[in-house]
Amino acid sequence: MTRDLEGHGASRLLSNDPLASIGRDVERSDARDKTTGRAVYTVDIDLPGMLHAKVLRSSRPHAMLLRVDAEAARCARGVHAVLTRDDVPEHVVPSYGWFVKDQPIVASDRVRFIGEVVAAVAAESEADAIAALKLIQVDYEDLPVVASIEAALDHGAPELFPSAPPGFVPHYGPGARGGLRPAPNVCYEFGYTCGDAALFETCDHVFEDEFRFSRMQHYHLEPFVSVVKASAERLEVWSATQTPFLLRKELANLLRIAETSVSVKTHYVGGAFGAKAHLRTEPIAALLSQASGRPVRFCLTLEEAFFTSSQHAAVIRLRTGVMSDGRVVARKGQIDLDAGAYSDASPLVAEKAGYRLPGGYRFQHIDSTARCVMTNTTPAGAFRGFGGTQALWASESQIDMIARRLGVDPFEMRRMNLIGLGEPFVPGESGCDSDMVEGLALVADRVGYGRPLPPNQGIGIAVGFKDGGGVNKPAQARVKVTMGGDVFLATAAIEMGQGSGTALSQIVAEILRCPLSRVRQVPIDTDSAPFDPGTHSSSGTVVMGRAVEKAAVALRDKVLDFASETMGVPKDEILLEDWQILHGQKAMPLRALIIREFGGPGFEFTAEGYFKAKLDAEAPLDNKCVFWEIGWAAAKVAVDVETGRFNVLDLCVSGDAGRAINPLTCRGQDEGAAVMAYGQTLFERMLYDGEGQLLNGDPLMYRLAMSEDLPRSFQSILQEQGHGAGPFGAKGMGEGTMLPVAAAIANAIHDAVGVRVTELPITAERVLRALKQRDAASVRNCNPLPSHALT
Amino acid sequence: MTRDLEGHGASRLLSNDPLASIGRDVERSDARDKTTGRAVYTVDIDLPGMLHAKVLRSSRPHAMLLRVDAEAARCARGVHAVLTRDDVPEHVVPSYGWFVKDQPIVASDRVRFIGEVVAAVAAESEADAIAALKLIQVDYEDLPVVASIEAALDHGAPELFPSAPPGFVPHYGPGARGGLRPAPNVCYEFGYTCGDAALFETCDHVFEDEFRFSRMQHYHLEPFVSVVKASAERLEVWSATQTPFLLRKELANLLRIAETSVSVKTHYVGGAFGAKAHLRTEPIAALLSQASGRPVRFCLTLEEAFFTSSQHAAVIRLRTGVMSDGRVVARKGQIDLDAGAYSDASPLVAEKAGYRLPGGYRFQHIDSTARCVMTNTTPAGAFRGFGGTQALWASESQIDMIARRLGVDPFEMRRMNLIGLGEPFVPGESGCDSDMVEGLALVADRVGYGRPLPPNQGIGIAVGFKDGGGVNKPAQARVKVTMGGDVFLATAAIEMGQGSGTALSQIVAEILRCPLSRVRQVPIDTDSAPFDPGTHSSSGTVVMGRAVEKAAVALRDKVLDFASETMGVPKDEILLEDWQILHGQKAMPLRALIIREFGGPGFEFTAEGYFKAKLDAEAPLDNKCVFWEIGWAAAKVAVDVETGRFNVLDLCVSGDAGRAINPLTCRGQDEGAAVMAYGQTLFERMLYDGEGQLLNGDPLMYRLAMSEDLPRSFQSILQEQGHGAGPFGAKGMGEGTMLPVAAAIANAIHDAVGVRVTELPITAERVLRALKQRDAASVRNCNPLPSHALT
């Protein structure tokens, strides 16, 4: 393996000891708070004098704003502040964005999608605020609309941004190309090339296919919400966010104040899936609080989430060169992502989607391009899988299609081409830390791959593959222990349902040899929390876990040093166990030693841990990944060829936890991601008409997978292959099984009835259409084999 | 000097550089918050659903509690919870105390002073709570009362505690003796001896005198107040406290929960003077919050403070052996402190009072005893000067009396006996870090000592002397810096008006070479703040200052290491200046380096500092002091011999800051302490009748010094002798000038009219009585010299 990570201190130190806390299905540390309703989410924050914000949203997909008249609203009952383009203070930067600063706090000269914020009101109650909004008069002058990738890229298409907003390129290194606004309605284009393009000439076959990916809503149960209390030049912000420090930076930049003047507080977050990774409700709440002198709560409805962020719809074209025996050689891919009306995280999603286009295969030449296309729809942003979902849907579909075209068994096709354990993904990149073939064999076998099936039933398999752990992500953690041996663990890792809080606490408990119940996580406040760029990229257990591990090891060292000195015994003769010092047969309580040294008020030991994956100086990429997140899926389907309806009879997914800190939550993550992917495969999509009108933006119309929709048999296999870069050999979880499910089901349908659906969701209508096209072609060509490009 | 402290890293590093932040009269960092009313004190905390607590107080000084019937109160309007002895949950420890656990949360079997808490109510408003208290019926059976030290020590006096409550001895080392409950109504006795008692036999003269010290109220402007929010097994506590971590420990012990289950939050405290150094309102607020399920605010009135804590009244007897030329040889002293009804901080006050009885003089033999005497009055506790005020009142009076008896000039008497710079106070103790004679000459000269005076005018001088910095006190601090160079300083040092926050920020600004305005102090929450035993003993600038200095130096080191590595230049060629790296003529902004390394979300550097004065293994005491706090005073008075009325014409006080971090606040501390001492000298005393009834417990009756009472000339001299153990040579400030003022004024009156007042306050009546006694004696003896023991 070429990964260049620091040694696993704790794992080594404890390698001969039985583990007490690691690898056990312990009760989640947040379980009691959440099941008893005591857990405090941002939606629960209530401050004396707090006002409530509501916003007026654009009814037009694309229009000039001629007039915004809010005078009547200012005088309405209970109203304390109104925010229109005329109320944004001069010193405030009026627009924001991750990379391109294109999204206005409230619309200024034009609106670019239906649902865009035009004005905001803070009032004594939400009802007062809603009533006041009705008094605001807006005059629009409609502009032509681009509501799809194709429309936006059309020659002469109307432009969302006639002049370029300021921005910067995400930070990929040599080997990658990236550029802002390379074409009208394209905010960013990423490119990556390695190997020689002439290799295509050496291939026996070159296949070109196109795939379409639909757009999901994150559908997190806790809505977008923040409470901001502004006083003088300071802001206190309570926010349901995955990225409190990033939020602090962006708010400070927006309001042109020091970052020390903004404190962001976050405890539990009720689901995020990427949606809560940047400014959402906070700028409006902040400006309304500054204007009113009162704390302001701004909580969106679930319907408003559909106007706030979403996944990226995509069109993916793959050109893949292979040898007749199935060996892959070269791939040129292009992915066009529907970024919606504002750029948000799109440039980074494009980089990740483009980088992941080859999937986990041993290509000698790669030429990837990814573009962010602006349309008059809801802005798209970070989403579980982060570009990988789009890339893998296409890649794992096409690999299967090629196998069938060549007459190679799809499992064998993958076996011969998948990158092996320790083998680098591309030159200079980290080596793979899972045996992908071993994992694939597990899920394939579980659904009966290779065994005879009844007619119109089929089995499909797929492997998801993405770099995990974030780009250049540093992590810091702090552990402090009271005189009585109770432990505070301070990190800015967000517990958003994934169970990272429990896993991190288990790491501390293991190293300090104390019961898990003694470890308490400190709610996050950016004033005091150790810095962290955010909870994303499945980085919690691996990247933050390593920082936590180091903090705990450092703390244990300090305690042993102290005990050795005060007891007058050599450090190598003593052990720490449940806040006692073991020396031979004797056990000395640390509380007594501390009081002896420091007196009655006692003392707290404290230590910090820092981790950042080391970059290899020889690597051409500076995004070397910390670990690879692999997800395997195998599906068995039965198709009704008369109607196109199909049932998923069996779905088996698997992830490799490396070493599972808490197997229960690892399984929860694998199964949760698989169900999310299953919903997208069969049902979920945000449906726009040609004029940018969202047709199904509410819980009744937007079709989620419900428990009765689940496959008749749904299984998960937790693998612990043992090669992770995290504490005790752990790898990150939570995104892997999001990646292969759609392709596995499409491949199963192809296996069952020989037709290919290349557009999500896979509906009965689409299967039926494919069957009819196949039959028509069959009549024409008398050729039962699938044709080159079925769409 | 025998002090054994670690090297002054920053002082050395910067010794050749001009200082940018240190030694300047900078605007206090809390000035704008406080002058604009934005500062948040605990009294300002308001939570949704918050209830208000009020308590029923005992009307009897000493009685058995026969019946407490609160049934009617439970049903009263707005009442959510009632707390009587019957409502304290079984798992709760019903009594608390620093050393002896003798103070009940609410009275159980008996009451021991007028004003003791008998019952508490939490209601929707304070008015509702007060109304409900009137419905509580209490039956008492009176017990005999001891309302003074003498009454309590009388043979056969009624005992406050017929059986001994549990307790432990404060932690003095060899050379000191301490014992719990050595006699009825004495909760603790401390003794310290050094040298040979036979030295008394070698003395030319042995003088015995007795002094009386009155009891002050702390009179802090922010009342005792806390807000507690209890949920399940957790407590969130907002408290006006000097000791958040001690409070956390005590609350956790009381409620038998882990310290991680209690978080104490403190920001600004509106004055404390020692009063807010232990549990006050918090246990009742906690139990009422647990009982009601609502946050509870418990805020005392100023009048209730008189029933909560006070200084110790005292009777001091000194037996001092000297040679005819004035050289001091031996001193045996006994101090009896009126501890009131509960022991509170009394054992430690006794240790400090006893240890400080010799004053700053070179005695060859010392034999000190200090007793805490229990009386049916308000419990006495920690108070600015902490036992030293009582000891120095007696010691500096007697030294003057002896000088006059021997015909030695009082200045010369002190010059020949004061411990010199670097000379240890007692064997094994730290050496003195001020030239006491130099400082004394300064104040004496300023008021015209030695120059001729009109009749009935006189000048008195005195030197206060106490060990500073606390016993075994560890300090921890944390500094973290945003990507943009703004600094968070996290400590648990309480800003209670003394300006320590500004001084600590100046230390950071100096070391990081940044503007002071960039340093922001993080409000304290025990969950995340670095541990600290409390803000007391003038330890802020020296002890915490050293921890802050080390944290800042460590942070600077980390930043320079990072810059050296990323810029590829040797560390010794670069400097940090206002968040830029200076390399020759070039300046590189750190923000750019950070983004290059960590990407857009950035990074925070963080570092911790730890300081604890090293104990010398050979020292017989383990309370070696960190620095000596010296206060000098000189007073000129004019006495009207017909009435006994006198005017303080001139008062000059001085302290040695070692090196003043912020001269403005150092002067403020010296002058504030001197005015407090001046008030005690002339006016302030809590006046009890023989039955334990406080006669003047309200702002109208309790006589404070007002601005019109100040001396006609009031001067302070800030000395910077340069020998401090703190950062840049600083010493602690804030208690020193509390110590010598009373004796200086008594000495001046003696100088003016030849009579001695040995009891505080020094009133016209007492002066007149002394004059009449002197005249009567003079008629009898025809001897105008003062007699042996004037009282």
Side-chain angles (χ1 to χ4, degrees):
Chain A
M1 285 174 69
T2 63
R3 252 177 313 116
D4 176 25
L5 297 164
E6 296 171 44
H8 299 185
S11 334
R12 268 206 309 274
L13 284 164
L14 293 166
S15 58
N16 295 324
D17 298 352
L19 297 177
S21 296
I22 300 297
R24 292 175 195 255
D25 288 342
V26 298
E27 178 187 302
R28 283 175 58 147
S29 52
D30 51 349
R32 277 163 205 256
D33 271 4
K34 287 180 176 173
T35 50
T36 58
R38 286 201 305 262
V40 175
Y41 292 87
T42 303
V43 281
D44 301 316
I45 298 296
D46 187 11
L47 303 179
M50 188 172 79
L51 303 177
H52 297 265
K54 280 286 161 189
V55 293
L56 181 69
R57 295 181 180 276
S58 169
S59 57
R60 311 300 168 94
H62 200 191
M64 298 307 292
L65 260 189
L66 300 185
R67 189 171 73 105
V68 182
D69 183 348
E71 288 320 301
R74 289 180 212 280
C75 310
R77 190 181 68 185
V79 170
H80 287 248
V82 172
L83 182 68
T84 69
R85 59 186 180 184
D86 304 319
D87 301 297
V88 177
E90 270 202 17
H91 67 275
V92 170
V93 182
S95 293
Y96 59 92
W98 278 31
F99 303 101
V100 184
K101 306 298 180 191
D102 57 2
Q103 184 155 10
I105 299 171
V106 288
S108 55
D109 60 328
R110 67 164 78 186
V111 290
R112 294 182 178 85
F113 70 99
I114 291 174
E116 178 164 3
V117 175
V118 173
V121 164
E124 297 278 350
S125 67
E126 291 200 343
D128 281 351
I130 290 167
L133 289 176
K134 295 194 175 128
L135 304 174
I136 299 176
Q137 297 183 328
V138 185
D139 292 345
Y140 300 97
E141 181 180 291
D142 288 323
L143 293 168
V145 176
V146 289
S148 67
I149 292 170
E150 289 81 356
L153 295 176
D154 252 5
H155 184 71
E159 284 195 63
L160 275 73
F161 292 91
S163 60
F168 65 97
V169 172
H171 43 287
Y172 261 57
R177 313 177 299 275
L180 291 171
R181 212 163 182 266
N185 287 334
V186 176
C187 75
Y188 183 68
E189 178 174 312
F190 164 84
Y192 174 77
T193 312
C194 73
D196 188 353
L199 282 164
F200 268 116
E201 311 301 323
T202 68
C203 295
D204 294 336
H205 305 274
V206 174
F207 296 101
E208 288 188 36
D209 298 285
E210 182 177 296
F211 302 88
R212 295 181 159 264
F213 189 86
S214 62
R215 180 198 311 226
M216 273 177 107
Q217 223 286 316
H218 300 79
Y219 221 92
H220 38 77
L221 283 183
E222 186 190 25
F224 289 112
V225 57
S226 63
V227 178
V228 178
K229 184 180 175 187
S231 66
E233 296 200 332
R234 279 194 50 70
L235 287 188
E236 280 186 283
V237 182
W238 290 258
S239 172
T241 179
Q242 299 174 245
T243 55
F245 280 94
L246 185 64
L247 203 64
R248 183 187 73 176
K249 184 193 100 171
E250 294 290 330
L251 278 174
N253 287 352
L254 217 56
L255 302 177
R256 297 191 199 274
I257 54 181
E259 284 189 71
T260 45
S261 295
V262 182
S263 55
V264 178
K265 300 164 213 285
T266 305
H267 193 187
Y268 292 129
V269 172
F273 312 115
K276 296 172 177 171
H278 206 259
L279 295 176
R280 297 294 180 215
T281 54
E282 299 81 6
I284 284 174
L287 291 183
L288 287 174
S289 179
Q290 287 188 331
S292 63
R294 298 271 285 269
V296 172
R297 176 180 191 264
F298 184 22
C299 182
L300 303 192
T301 62
L302 194 147
E303 288 78 2
E304 287 180 290
F306 284 87
F307 297 128
T308 306
S309 188
S310 73
Q311 200 186 28
H312 290 79
V315 176
I316 307 116
R317 290 178 197 87
L318 297 180
R319 182 166 182 266
T320 303
V322 295
M323 306 311 287
S324 292
D325 63 358
R327 275 182 294 121
V328 300
V329 176
R331 173 171 280 178
K332 183 175 169 70
Q334 167 149 342
I335 178 162
D336 286 331
L337 296 160
D338 186 343
Y342 296 105
S343 60
D344 199 271
S346 290
L348 194 58
V349 173
E351 298 204 347
K352 288 300 186 183
Y355 192 59
R356 292 162 182 167
L357 263 186
Y361 297 102
R362 198 180 290 118
F363 285 105
Q364 298 168 58
H365 167 64
I366 296 169
D367 181 358
S368 294
T369 308
R371 297 189 292 183
C372 310
V373 182
M374 312 303 287
T375 63
N376 294 118
T377 63
T378 293
F383 197 106
R384 195 180 205 173
F386 209 86
T389 326
Q390 291 87 340
L392 270 294
W393 156 242
S395 178
E396 279 300 281
S397 290
Q398 200 201 27
I399 283 290
D400 218 81
M401 290 156 77
I402 293 171
R404 288 169 201 277
R405 287 165 187 155
L406 298 176
V408 176
D409 174 77
F411 181 90
E412 176 56 23
M413 175 86 186
R414 289 177 170 86
R415 193 203 54 73
M416 84 174 77
N417 288 303
L418 280 170
I419 288 161
L421 181 63
E423 187 177 343
F425 168 53
V426 294
E429 177 56 281
S430 303
C432 186
D433 49 7
S434 288
D435 185 325
M436 289 194 275
V437 176
E438 181 184 319
L440 188 62
L442 278 176
V443 294
D445 183 63
R446 189 66 72 88
V447 300
Y449 189 91
R451 292 196 282 278
L453 288 169
N456 299 329
Q457 287 194 16
I459 287 177
I461 54 175
V463 189
F465 179 87
K466 72 184 277 284
D467 45 318
V471 178
N472 281 334
K473 197 166 184 265
Q476 297 182 64
R478 187 166 62 242
V479 175
K480 66 174 197 167
V481 188
T482 69
M483 157 162 73
D486 294 295
V487 183
F488 291 102
L489 169 60
T491 74
I494 304 289
E495 175 55 72
M496 46 194 179
Q498 84 280 40
S500 77
T502 310
L504 296 174
S505 297
Q506 285 175 273
I507 292 166
V508 173
E510 186 65 51
I511 292 166
L512 299 185
R513 290 285 182 172
C514 72
L516 182 61
S517 59
R518 284 207 168 212
V519 183
R520 192 170 95 75
Q521 296 209 81
V522 180
I524 296 159
D525 183 329
T526 52
D527 281 4
S528 53
F531 176 87
D532 186 67
T535 302
H536 49 66
S537 318
S538 305
S539 59
T541 304
V542 174
V543 180
M544 183 56 79
R546 287 294 301 279
V548 167
E549 177 189 35
K550 288 177 160 202
V553 168
L555 190 119
R556 185 181 60 191
D557 252 19
K558 281 189 179 180
V559 170
L560 291 176
D561 282 336
F562 164 79
S564 162
E565 192 173 323
T566 52
M567 293 169 70
V569 292
K571 191 176 170 190
D572 58 7
E573 290 181 10
I574 55 177
L575 288 171
L576 175 65
E577 182 84 41
D578 201 13
W579 212 234
Q580 298 181 102
I581 298 296
L582 305 185
H583 182 228
Q585 294 304 305
K586 285 186 300 184
M588 166 64 85
L590 270 158
R591 179 192 286 272
L593 287 177
I594 289 168
I595 289 180
R596 192 199 291 171
E597 176 73 12
F598 298 104
F603 189 64
E604 279 186 353
F605 289 94
T606 179
E608 302 213 329
Y610 167 72
F611 173 76
K612 182 171 180 288
K614 280 187 182 161
L615 301 178
D616 185 338
E618 296 182 28
L621 294 169
D622 65 1
N623 73 322
K624 271 172 73 104
C625 96
V626 184
F627 68 95
W628 293 100
E629 192 160 4
I630 317 294
W632 295 267
K636 180 158 76 175
V637 300
V639 183
D640 178 343
V641 294
E642 299 303 314
T643 63
R645 295 181 71 152
F646 60 96
N647 286 313
V648 179
L649 304 176
D650 207 344
L651 177 64
C652 178
V653 297
S654 181
D656 173 19
R659 166 88 186 228
I661 303 294
N662 188 341
L664 189 65
T665 51
C666 290
R667 283 194 297 271
Q669 282 296 293
D670 270 349
E671 293 174 9
V675 169
M676 201 164 186
Y678 181 78
Q680 172 158 44
T681 306
L682 269 59
F683 311 110
E684 291 190 58
R685 59 175 151 175
M686 286 169 64
L687 207 60
Y688 284 92
D689 69 10
E691 288 300 309
Q693 176 72 54
L694 178 62
L695 300 174
N696 61 344
D698 67 74
L700 276 179
M701 300 291 288
Y702 184 83
R703 176 78 160 89
L704 287 168
M706 291 178 287
S707 53
E708 69 214 43
D709 296 317
L710 288 186
R712 291 191 195 159
S713 163
F714 175 43
Q715 309 173 64
S716 73
I717 301 170
L718 178 60
Q719 297 180 57
E720 295 186 71
Q721 294 195 8
H723 312 296
F728 306 95
K731 294 176 61 171
M733 303 290 285
E735 297 185 275
T737 55
M738 182 85 199
L739 307 175
V741 170
I745 291 173
N747 296 343
I749 290 170
H750 198 164
D751 188 51
V753 292
V755 302
R756 172 63 54 178
V757 178
T758 55
E759 180 168 5
L760 288 181
I762 306 175
T763 57
E765 291 80 359
R766 284 179 173 152
V767 174
L768 188 62
R769 196 180 312 136
L771 286 165
K772 286 184 175 168
Q773 285 176 348
R774 191 264 319 260
D775 293 344
S778 165
V779 168
R780 278 199 307 276
N781 305 337
C782 297
N783 176 4
L785 279 174
S787 70
H788 180 165
L790 284 171
T791 53
Chain B
M1 288 172 69
T2 63
R3 252 175 318 114
D4 175 24
L5 296 163
E6 296 171 46
H8 299 184
S11 335
R12 270 207 307 275
L13 283 166
L14 293 167
S15 57
N16 295 324
D17 297 352
L19 296 177
S21 296
I22 300 297
R24 295 178 192 251
D25 288 344
V26 298
E27 178 187 301
R28 283 175 58 147
S29 53
D30 50 350
R32 278 163 203 256
D33 271 3
K34 287 180 176 172
T35 51
T36 57
R38 284 202 306 261
V40 175
Y41 292 87
T42 304
V43 282
D44 300 316
I45 298 296
D46 186 10
L47 303 180
M50 187 172 79
L51 305 176
H52 297 265
K54 280 287 160 191
V55 293
L56 181 69
R57 295 181 180 276
S58 169
S59 57
R60 311 301 168 93
H62 201 191
M64 299 305 293
L65 259 189
L66 300 185
R67 189 173 72 104
V68 182
D69 182 349
E71 289 319 301
R74 289 180 212 280
C75 311
R77 190 182 64 184
V79 170
H80 286 248
V82 172
L83 182 69
T84 70
R85 60 188 180 183
D86 304 319
D87 302 297
V88 177
E90 271 201 17
H91 67 275
V92 170
V93 182
S95 294
Y96 60 92
W98 277 33
F99 303 101
V100 184
K101 306 298 180 191
D102 58 1
Q103 182 154 11
I105 299 171
V106 288
S108 55
D109 59 329
R110 66 165 78 186
V111 291
R112 295 181 178 85
F113 70 101
I114 292 173
E116 180 165 2
V117 175
V118 174
V121 164
E124 297 278 351
S125 68
E126 290 201 344
D128 281 352
I130 290 167
L133 291 175
K134 296 196 173 126
L135 304 175
I136 300 176
Q137 297 183 329
V138 185
D139 292 345
Y140 300 98
E141 181 181 288
D142 287 326
L143 295 167
V145 176
V146 290
S148 67
I149 292 171
E150 289 81 357
L153 296 177
D154 253 5
H155 184 70
E159 287 195 60
L160 274 75
F161 292 91
S163 61
F168 65 97
V169 172
H171 43 287
Y172 260 59
R177 312 176 299 275
L180 292 171
R181 212 163 182 267
N185 288 332
V186 177
C187 75
Y188 183 69
E189 178 175 312
F190 164 83
Y192 174 76
T193 312
C194 73
D196 188 352
L199 283 163
F200 269 115
E201 310 301 323
T202 69
C203 294
D204 295 335
H205 305 272
V206 175
F207 296 100
E208 288 189 36
D209 299 285
E210 183 176 296
F211 302 88
R212 294 182 158 266
F213 188 88
S214 63
R215 182 200 305 229
M216 274 177 105
Q217 222 285 315
H218 300 80
Y219 221 93
H220 38 77
L221 284 183
E222 186 191 25
F224 290 112
V225 57
S226 63
V227 178
V228 178
K229 183 180 175 186
S231 66
E233 297 200 332
R234 280 195 50 71
L235 287 188
E236 280 186 283
V237 182
W238 291 257
S239 172
T241 180
Q242 301 174 243
T243 54
F245 280 93
L246 185 62
L247 202 66
R248 184 188 72 176
K249 184 193 100 170
E250 295 290 330
L251 278 175
N253 287 353
L254 218 56
L255 303 177
R256 297 190 200 273
I257 54 180
E259 285 189 72
T260 44
S261 295
V262 182
S263 55
V264 178
K265 299 164 214 283
T266 305
H267 193 187
Y268 292 128
V269 172
F273 311 116
K276 297 173 178 172
H278 206 257
L279 294 176
R280 297 294 179 216
T281 54
E282 298 81 6
I284 285 173
L287 291 182
L288 287 174
S289 180
Q290 287 189 331
S292 64
R294 298 270 287 265
V296 173
R297 177 181 191 263
F298 184 21
C299 181
L300 302 193
T301 63
L302 194 145
E303 288 79 1
E304 288 180 291
F306 283 87
F307 298 129
T308 306
S309 189
S310 75
Q311 201 185 26
H312 290 79
V315 177
I316 308 114
R317 290 178 195 86
L318 297 180
R319 182 169 182 264
T320 303
V322 298
M323 306 311 287
S324 293
D325 63 357
R327 276 182 294 124
V328 300
V329 177
R331 173 171 280 177
K332 182 176 168 72
Q334 168 149 341
I335 179 162
D336 286 332
L337 296 160
D338 187 344
Y342 295 105
S343 60
D344 200 270
S346 291
L348 193 59
V349 173
E351 298 204 347
K352 288 300 184 184
Y355 191 60
R356 292 162 183 168
L357 262 185
Y361 296 103
R362 197 181 289 117
F363 286 105
Q364 298 168 57
H365 167 65
I366 296 168
D367 181 0
S368 296
T369 309
R371 296 190 293 183
C372 310
V373 182
M374 312 303 288
T375 64
N376 294 118
T377 63
T378 294
F383 196 105
R384 194 179 204 173
F386 209 86
T389 326
Q390 291 89 338
L392 271 293
W393 157 242
S395 178
E396 278 301 280
S397 290
Q398 201 201 26
I399 282 290
D400 217 80
M401 290 156 76
I402 292 172
R404 288 170 200 277
R405 286 165 187 154
L406 299 176
V408 175
D409 174 77
F411 180 90
E412 177 56 21
M413 175 87 184
R414 289 176 171 86
R415 194 204 53 75
M416 84 174 76
N417 289 305
L418 280 170
I419 288 162
L421 181 64
E423 188 176 345
F425 168 53
V426 294
E429 177 56 281
S430 303
C432 186
D433 50 6
S434 288
D435 184 326
M436 289 194 274
V437 176
E438 180 184 320
L440 188 62
L442 278 177
V443 293
D445 182 64
R446 190 66 72 90
V447 300
Y449 189 91
R451 292 196 283 276
L453 289 170
N456 299 328
Q457 288 195 16
I459 286 178
I461 54 175
V463 188
F465 179 89
K466 71 183 279 284
D467 45 317
V471 179
N472 280 334
K473 196 166 186 269
Q476 298 183 62
R478 187 167 60 241
V479 176
K480 65 174 197 167
V481 188
T482 69
M483 158 160 75
D486 295 294
V487 183
F488 291 100
L489 170 59
T491 74
I494 305 289
E495 175 56 70
M496 47 194 180
Q498 83 280 41
S500 76
T502 310
L504 297 175
S505 298
Q506 285 176 272
I507 293 166
V508 173
E510 186 66 51
I511 292 166
L512 298 185
R513 290 287 181 170
C514 72
L516 183 60
S517 59
R518 284 208 169 211
V519 184
R520 191 171 96 76
Q521 296 209 83
V522 181
I524 296 159
D525 183 328
T526 52
D527 281 3
S528 53
F531 176 86
D532 186 66
T535 303
H536 49 64
S537 318
S538 304
S539 59
T541 304
V542 176
V543 180
M544 183 55 81
R546 288 294 301 278
V548 167
E549 178 188 34
K550 288 176 160 203
V553 168
L555 190 118
R556 185 181 58 191
D557 253 19
K558 281 189 179 181
V559 170
L560 291 176
D561 281 337
F562 165 78
S564 162
E565 192 173 321
T566 53
M567 291 169 70
V569 292
K571 192 176 169 189
D572 58 8
E573 290 181 10
I574 54 177
L575 289 171
L576 175 65
E577 183 84 41
D578 201 15
W579 213 234
Q580 296 180 104
I581 297 297
L582 305 186
H583 184 228
Q585 294 304 305
K586 283 185 301 184
M588 167 64 85
L590 270 158
R591 179 192 284 272
L593 287 177
I594 290 168
I595 289 180
R596 192 198 292 169
E597 176 72 12
F598 298 103
F603 189 63
E604 280 186 352
F605 289 94
T606 179
E608 302 213 329
Y610 166 71
F611 174 75
K612 181 171 180 289
K614 278 186 184 165
L615 301 179
D616 184 340
E618 296 182 27
L621 293 169
D622 67 0
N623 72 324
K624 274 173 70 107
C625 96
V626 184
F627 69 96
W628 293 99
E629 190 159 6
I630 318 294
W632 294 269
K636 180 158 74 173
V637 301
V639 183
D640 178 343
V641 293
E642 299 303 318
T643 63
R645 295 182 70 154
F646 59 95
N647 287 314
V648 179
L649 304 175
D650 208 344
L651 177 64
C652 179
V653 296
S654 181
D656 174 19
R659 167 85 187 231
I661 304 294
N662 187 341
L664 189 66
T665 52
C666 289
R667 283 192 297 272
Q669 281 297 292
D670 269 351
E671 293 173 10
V675 169
M676 202 165 185
Y678 181 78
Q680 172 157 43
T681 306
L682 269 60
F683 311 110
E684 291 189 58
R685 59 177 152 175
M686 285 169 64
L687 206 59
Y688 283 92
D689 70 10
E691 289 298 310
Q693 176 72 54
L694 179 62
L695 300 174
N696 61 345
D698 66 73
L700 274 179
M701 301 290 288
Y702 184 82
R703 176 77 160 91
L704 287 168
M706 291 179 288
S707 55
E708 69 214 44
D709 297 317
L710 288 185
R712 291 191 196 158
S713 163
F714 175 43
Q715 311 171 63
S716 73
I717 302 170
L718 178 60
Q719 297 180 58
E720 295 185 72
Q721 294 194 8
H723 312 296
F728 305 96
K731 295 177 60 171
M733 301 290 284
E735 297 185 275
T737 56
M738 183 85 199
L739 307 175
V741 170
I745 290 173
N747 296 343
I749 290 170
H750 198 161
D751 187 52
V753 293
V755 301
R756 172 63 54 178
V757 178
T758 57
E759 181 168 5
L760 287 180
I762 306 175
T763 59
E765 292 79 358
R766 284 179 173 151
V767 174
L768 188 62
R769 195 180 312 134
L771 285 166
K772 285 184 175 164
Q773 284 175 351
R774 191 266 316 264
D775 293 344
S778 164
V779 167
R780 279 201 303 278
N781 306 338
C782 297
N783 178 3
L785 279 175
S787 69
H788 181 165
L790 286 170
T791 54

